[in-house]
Amino acid sequence: MGANYRAACRAKSKPAFISKMGDVLEEADESGYWTELLRDSGKVDEKVAAPVLGEANELVAILISSINTAKGNRAERE
């Protein structure tokens, strides 16, 4: 996620930023998925998984908001 976010911040255009932020969103969601899988399989304790899942879900919400804002800003200029 971090490397993709850094790439998004260095995007050369608004459409590239939105696309790269979509990649970051996918990575955040995937991190949550794998954490759920580890928790559900019993490989990771719920007490360990819960804060990681919470953070992944918060990041997903933030990223969705950021992407929607960028899309809205782009639409206003068009």
Side-chain angles (χ1 to χ4, degrees), residues 5-68:
Y5 179 73
R6 184 173 180 164
C9 290
R10 296 172 190 259
K12 295 186 189 302
S13 67
K14 189 63 77 171
F17 172 80
I18 293 167
S19 176
K20 290 175 187 298
M21 287 296 282
D23 294 339
V24 179
L25 174 58
E26 286 182 37
E27 295 292 333
D29 190 50
E30 187 176 332
S31 294
Y33 168 78
W34 287 112
T35 304
E36 289 172 354
L37 196 64
L38 289 167
R39 178 201 60 202
D40 295 348
S41 69
K43 301 286 184 190
V44 173
D45 186 76
E46 173 65 32
K47 289 181 183 180
V48 174
V52 175
L53 283 171
E55 184 128 352
N57 289 332
E58 287 177 26
L59 288 168
V60 165
I62 290 166
L63 292 163
I64 289 170
S65 180
S66 295
I67 291 166
N68 287 339

